[in-house]
């Protein structure tokens, strides 16, 4: 049944970008997609994810023609699954240290880190009380550090 909802590549990528990339608007999801999602595919996946209760959409108060997408509790509960998928991908597919660092940290952090991240996502997307720990800040700092190291190595 999970594959019925998430079995296509683009649905997982959209959820990943909202969850780990903080992308909440259609334009951000379209323009900052590393995979180059087509606009019609993105629109379809967003509609499908909203219809299936994995995302919610509200009008952006700053611009009535824009929508703000949020994770729902069922999609937040996908964190352990996505962490495991990232760990598997890091071990079995070619990648760079910059792209692997988040998966490495989530794997090493285990369920305690996943729970803390889910609490943070609940605060961001569902209005829950913000937790003391910001896993997203930890992941972003590690990513930026890995990018800086890669940049130093690439310099002649």
């Amino acid at each position: 049944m999970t594959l019925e909802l998430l079995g296509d590549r683009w649905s997982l990528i959209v959820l990943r970008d909202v969850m780990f990339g903080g992308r909440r608007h259609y334009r951000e999801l379209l323009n900052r997609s590393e995979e180059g999602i087509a606009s019609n595919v993105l629109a379809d996946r967003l509609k499908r994810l909203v219809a299936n209760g994995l995302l919610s959409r509200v009008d952006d108060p700053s611009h009535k023609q824009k929508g703000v997408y949020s994770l729902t509790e069922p999609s937040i509960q996908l964190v352990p699954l996505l962490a495991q998928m990232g760990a598997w991908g890091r071990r079995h597919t070619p990648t760079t240290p910059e792209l692997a660092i988040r998966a490495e940290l989530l794997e090493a952090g285990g369920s305690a880190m996943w729970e803390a991240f889910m609490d943070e996502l609940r605060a961001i997307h569902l209005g829950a009380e913000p937790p003391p720990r910001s896993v997203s800040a930890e992941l972003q700092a590690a990513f930026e550090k890995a990018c800086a190291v890669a940049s130093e190595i690439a310099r002649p």
Side-chain angles (χ1 to χ4, degrees), residues 12 40 55 63 71 73 77 83 88-89 117 119 136 140 150 153:
L12 286 172
N40 62 323
L55 290 177
H63 192 286
L71 299 169
E73 183 61 31
Q77 290 179 19
W88 182 92
F117 187 48
D119 287 344
S136 61
Q140 185 62 29
I153 292 171

Side-chain angles (χ1 to χ4, degrees), residues 67-123:
V68 178
Y69 292 93
S70 295
L71 299 169
T72 61
E73 183 61 31
S75 59
I76 290 169
Q77 290 179 19
L78 288 170
V79 166
L81 175 65
L82 293 175
Q84 289 293 330
M85 289 175 67
W88 182 92
R90 186 178 65 79
R91 287 191 304 273
H92 298 289
T93 62
T95 189
T96 64
E98 309 92 281
L99 294 178
I101 190 65
R102 291 177 179 133
E104 184 180 332
L105 291 175
L106 284 167
E107 182 179 18
S111 62
M113 186 177 222
W114 306 341
E115 289 294 332
F117 187 48
M118 290 190 291
D119 287 344
E120 182 178 1
L121 291 172
R122 287 181 185 104

Side-chain angles (χ1 to χ4, degrees), residues 97-99 101 140-153:
E98 309 92 281
L99 294 178
I101 190 65
Q140 185 62 29
F143 172 73
E144 290 171 7
K145 183 178 178 182
C147 288
V149 169
S151 177
E152 283 295 317
I153 292 171

